[in-house]
Amino acid sequence: MFKKLSSKLEKMFDQPSEVASHVENKPTTATVLKTDEFQITENNKLLENISYIFSGDQITEKDLPLLFSHLSSFFEGGFLFEKKQTNGVAILTQAFWAGKSISCKQLPQRTLHLPRTSAFKVLKTPTKTLMRHFGLDLGQNYNDSGLISYLIPLNDRYSIAVTTILAEPWARLRIELLQKTLMKINFPT
């Protein structure tokens, strides 16, 4: 029985697979596209798993920076805002760009007037405008890219803004997945 199973496995690996023959006949960009699609799918699954990490009881204010830091793996940029007053003025408490944390204490104009909207409603703004407001440079790779940032209020007090380099419709799908993931987490009020 073992010999029979072993010979079947050998035959299976000896024959070129459909994927391998497809790649040999196509340019290498087709292979890259398949790899990118796989990476996007895997990243989406990992993004969705954040809600499992922070599921259960209401997360505390101490957990918000940790939750926010997880987003740097999925987005080019991110900003965590906290409203100290009811007038809509928010303070930038944490930020990242291109995988690196940004020290918010050294930034000029750390406040921003955020629009009043319901929790988890997604709003869009040009990333260039947001970065200029805080005196940050997009970097050479992103200057002419027309990046969009997506603002998502978590509750009356906290909001996040994230930036993705993905084009439509993948950007919309990634943001919708983030929105659904955040809705599963019980944020402090």
Side-chain angles (χ1 to χ4, degrees):
M1 181 170 164
F2 180 71
K3 284 185 179 183
K4 195 175 188 181
L5 179 62
S6 177
S7 66
K8 283 185 180 182
L9 286 173
E10 286 175 12
K11 286 180 184 177
M12 184 172 70
F13 286 111
D14 286 340
Q15 299 172 0
S17 69
E18 189 176 314
V19 174
S21 63
H22 176 71
V23 171
E24 290 172 9
N25 297 333
K26 297 285 182 181
T28 54
T29 55
T31 308
V32 173
L33 180 62
K34 295 279 186 203
T35 304
D36 289 347
E37 288 174 7
F38 174 76
Q39 287 174 342
I40 289 171
T41 303
E42 285 301 307
N43 280 345
N44 287 346
K45 288 178 184 175
L46 293 173
L47 177 59
E48 192 174 13
N49 286 341
I50 289 175
S51 65
Y52 299 115
I53 295 170
F54 294 96
S55 65
D57 296 334
Q58 182 178 26
I59 66 170
T60 65
E61 290 183 22
K62 294 176 187 175
D63 295 327
L64 280 173
L66 180 60
L67 167 75
F68 182 75
S69 68
H70 281 292
L71 299 180
S72 67
S73 300
F74 307 101
F75 298 97
E76 279 62 45
F79 303 90
L80 177 63
F81 299 104
E82 179 182 1
K83 290 181 187 174
K84 295 287 186 178
Q85 304 162 354
T86 58
N87 62 0
V89 176
I91 296 172
L92 180 62
T93 59
Q94 193 173 349
F96 64 85
W97 185 256
K100 296 180 182 174
S101 181
I102 298 171
S103 175
C104 296
K105 293 178 182 175
Q106 299 172 354
L107 296 178
Q109 249 184 351
R110 291 182 41 220
T111 62
L112 183 69
H113 289 276
L114 295 178
R116 291 184 185 192
T117 185
S118 60
F120 307 111
K121 181 177 181 180
V122 179
L123 303 172
K124 296 196 283 188
T125 187
T127 301
K128 212 176 229 185
T129 306
L130 191 61
M131 296 287 278
R132 271 193 211 136
H133 179 77
F134 291 110
L136 297 170
D137 182 29
L138 287 172
Q140 196 172 12
N141 296 337
Y142 301 104
N143 271 334
D144 298 323
S145 60
L147 290 173
I148 300 292
S149 289
Y150 301 87
L151 178 74
I152 304 174
L154 304 175
N155 56 26
D156 292 337
R157 191 168 172 196
Y158 294 98
S159 297
I160 62 166
V162 292
T163 301
T164 182
I165 199 164
L166 295 174
E168 288 294 335
W170 298 280
R172 181 175 33 86
L173 294 173
R174 173 73 54 93
I175 296 302
E176 286 175 359
L177 181 61
L178 174 62
Q179 181 187 31
K180 289 177 187 174
T181 299
L182 293 172
M183 289 173 85
K184 294 177 185 176
I185 299 171
N186 191 8
F187 289 99
T189 53

